[in-house]
Amino acid sequence: MASIVDPNAPNPALLAQAAILERPASEERRMADAIRALAMDAVEKAKSGHPGMPMGMADVATALFTRFLKYDAADPRWPDRDRFVLSAGHGSMLLYALLHLTGHAGMGIDELKNFRQLHSPAAGHPEYGYHPAIETTTGPLGQGISTAVGMALAERHLAARFGKSLVDHRTWVICSDGDLQEGVSHEAASLAGHLGLEKLTVLWDDNHISIDGDTALSFSEDVLKRFQAYGWATKRIDGHDPEQIAAAMAVAQRSKKPTIIACRTIIGFSAPKKAGTAGSHGSPLGADEISAAKSALGWNAEPFTTPEGIKARWEEAGRRAAGTRRSWLKRLAKHPMRVDFERATAGKLPENWVEPLNALRATLATEKPKLGTRIASQRALTALVPAVPEMIGGSADLTGSNNTDVKGIASITPGNYAGRYVHYGIREHGMAAAMNGMALHGGIIPYSGTFLVFADYMRPSIRLAALMHQRVIHVLTHDSIGLGEDGPTHQPVETIASLRAIPNLAVFRPADAMETAECWELALRRTEGPSVLALSRQALPALRDDAGENRCARGGYVLAEAEGARDVTLVATGSEVHLAMNARQTLVAQGVQAAVVSLPSWELFAQQDEAYRAATLGEAPRIGIEAALGFGWERWLGTNSAFIGMTGFGASAPADHLFEHFGITPAAIVAAATKLLTKDGSK
């Protein structure tokens, strides 16, 4: 167990560093020094960044990229490449230096000189899409390692589907002390151990330093014992000894369990004063410290310059797997499942995939069932999942409540990855992060469920999916006070507004079974970002009997028009649309011309042209109705308006009693309309 250190005591890391620097400089050490030099130079030029981790983990990264990682710098998106995730994303110069040195196009010396500058692919943290060899956005600690669990699971599932000749690769992670303190990493690591994801290897930068100082200030657990309890293989090594590093990685390749290797390193290695201290973590070392560090390494090259011999050896490492890739391409060309594999990995849906869903919509139009939209969602999934083999479902231990399972679809279990349903356990955050990894890996469209209120547990991962434009679908049920007796802890009065605030996230709140089927189609078609389906627990009446055009595709539409010029427009989402329809009947009987607009997706509605939005919402006074807080509704209601919804937290009672208690009823809507029109002088 670590103990809190005396800040005035001599730094043992500097003593250890001196001993390491006395070792003869091997070829591998010189290659690692190239990483260190570039990291120091780029952070110094940018006047910001994190040089310490790249300097400390350079030896480990060198062994990985020169001896173990399967990749080809000429084709960084080759489907059967190993995945490398820099979970400690603050040390981004480690990744950028590796990509530059191994000869990846698009990460030249000019890009490194523009580290952390606008439009540079060498951003402050690795950003997915900025360079094809960046596998995922990292930076929020814990997300990278947890995303990697999803990548490793995707590899195992696709290997079961297409065979080892097409899918046989590993997932490697470099993570920090901070990654392993974040709760999401605990959830994901537990899941990985349970499922036995043997092709996942985590290289832990065990440097004992965080921003506040020595990790002993706040962290004293035995990490490797914890991972052993998860079902991982573990190993502890000197992270500056190439032979120990290589031997541990070789063992990991043979392991039948996921593996974590604790690489004891010195943060800021070679810096004479700041090595082994928080001073090398998150700021430039300064010209004098850099000069002294390079001198200690025997590095005499100019800034941003790598000696030709060292650069040539790095570029040779970047071509190591070129022959392996060419052999794989030959196997792919002859493989009987080539067409399906290429379609799946390209993210394209099968031909005629929507036909079973269209048949369901036709049935719904005829039968007009009264269903909770969570049940309607399961009917949509029953149509879609057999037709789209890339869909992998799951739930955070709420399968029977979320209705995310489909009869006849087997589960993924330890050692048997051919199934298409994941029992994530009560690990909402780890589930969402793993889903991101599955989508990023390619060949899989992940969807899963929990209660809407628990979106707060998943929010960082949902946000990253939106940032990375990943097709991930979250089925979030029990979406309002309509869930009833479980009470305010489970009633997400503010949650849907917070999700609508995330850029590039599509939030769907359908009003009945027909809209639910339409929203599922839209979520599945959507390749530019994640989707949320906010679904009701309580049964809702059918409001539509048309199965032609997907009316939800425009985000909002006139469900019931006024018989003449509108006096008022009732705008509602989800379970409150039928309340608006009931209120409309009463208003019409009173001589008030009322229209009802269903607004299942604010995001899609906002994308429509202004003329369509204006025609849909009309010029009459508007009333918004949603069993949630009114935050954001002003966008659609304007000044002459009212909102019927929640003003605070809910309560525990049967759903009907709650709607009555909180005044979300047709009578309340009618009263609000009467008040508005009287004030307006229309009536």
Side-chain angles (χ1 to χ4, degrees), residues 371-374 376 452 476 478-482 496 500 507-516 519 532-544 552 555-557 559 570-582 596-602 624-628 633 643-644 659 664 669:
L371 297 172
T373 50
R374 61 177 179 143
L452 177 60
L476 303 180
H478 297 60
D479 69 343
S480 74
I481 59 170
I496 199 161
R500 287 171 176 153
V507 179
F508 297 97
R509 190 167 186 249
D512 69 353
M514 182 66 74
E515 282 197 359
T516 303
C519 290
V532 160
L533 282 85
L535 306 176
S536 74
R537 175 183 185 270
Q538 72 274 30
L540 304 178
L543 301 173
R544 298 248 311 271
C552 290
Y557 63 95
L559 176 62
L570 311 179
V571 187
T573 77
S575 55
E576 288 68 69
V577 176
H578 82 277
L579 302 181
M581 290 292 285
N582 291 343
V596 173
V597 171
S598 179
L599 204 64
S601 175
W602 290 18
I625 309 106
E626 189 169 60
W633 269 93
F643 177 73
I644 304 294
F659 278 95
I664 307 173
I669 299 168

Side-chain angles (χ1 to χ4, degrees), residues 570-630:
L570 311 179
V571 187
T573 77
S575 55
E576 288 68 69
V577 176
H578 82 277
L579 302 181
M581 290 292 285
N582 291 343
R584 176 181 179 273
Q585 286 184 324
T586 302
L587 289 168
V588 169
Q590 295 176 358
V592 177
Q593 295 301 317
V596 173
V597 171
S598 179
L599 204 64
S601 175
W602 290 18
E603 295 76 23
L604 295 189
F605 190 63
Q607 293 171 12
Q608 306 309 307
D609 61 75
E610 186 176 347
Y612 176 80
R613 295 199 307 268
T616 301
L617 295 174
E619 297 181 357
R622 301 168 192 166
I623 299 176
I625 309 106
E626 189 169 60
L629 300 182

Side-chain angles (χ1 to χ4, degrees), residues 156 216 480 485 513:
R156 292 288 76 200
S480 74
E485 292 87 344

